[in-house]
Amino acid sequence: MRNRIVLAIGLLAISSRVPAAMGAEGTITVKGEVVDTFCYATMGARGASHHACGVACAKAGIPVGLLQEGELYILLPKSDKGKLPEALIDKMGSVVTVTGAKYKAGGVTFVTVETVE
């Protein structure tokens, strides 16, 4: 009996160190402003006046985010090695509605861009 308790405690300790399997938390629709994460994080830059710089940053590979009421979602392409839609990048500084799969990792929320309106 004592060996079983020790084994159970050991397994619990090991399993608590193994991260949960990654996977989508479901589909989400988020409405917010499209921002380039570098200029937003470092300077608070956003809005229509930042459109050209935001587009240039996104095309240079800076991650794109969607800012909704103070919460920032990092936007991902539909698939690995894919690209964000040009229609999204062209809306930099504008409010759009994005629908896609929601993921959480490292305290960050990510959304794949399935549709942009």
Side-chain angles (χ1 to χ4, degrees):
M1 179 68 153
R2 192 174 123 214
N3 288 341
R4 287 184 186 175
I5 292 172
V6 170
L7 178 61
I9 291 171
L11 289 174
L12 181 61
I14 291 170
S15 67
S16 68
R17 291 190 180 115
V18 177
M22 301 300 285
E25 294 184 1
T27 300
I28 185 174
T29 298
V30 184
K31 183 176 182 179
E33 181 184 333
V34 183
V35 297
D36 81 87
T37 56
F38 182 86
C39 292
Y40 174 71
T42 61
M43 299 176 278
R46 54 185 283 218
S49 64
H50 190 70
H51 173 79
C53 181
V55 169
C57 285
K59 289 184 177 185
I62 301 295
V64 175
L66 194 67
L67 183 63
Q68 180 191 52
E69 299 175 9
E71 188 166 351
L72 184 64
Y73 297 85
I74 304 300
L75 300 177
L76 301 173
K78 285 191 229 184
S79 62
D80 188 24
K81 298 178 186 74
K83 292 184 177 184
L84 289 173
E86 287 293 324
L88 173 73
I89 293 171
D90 290 339
K91 297 286 188 180
M92 194 65 66
S94 299
V95 174
V96 301
T97 300
V98 171
T99 299
K102 177 183 174 183
Y103 295 86
K104 280 195 157 202
V108 179
T109 305
F110 301 88
V111 178
T112 60
V113 179
E114 303 293 331
T115 64
V116 179
E117 296 175 10

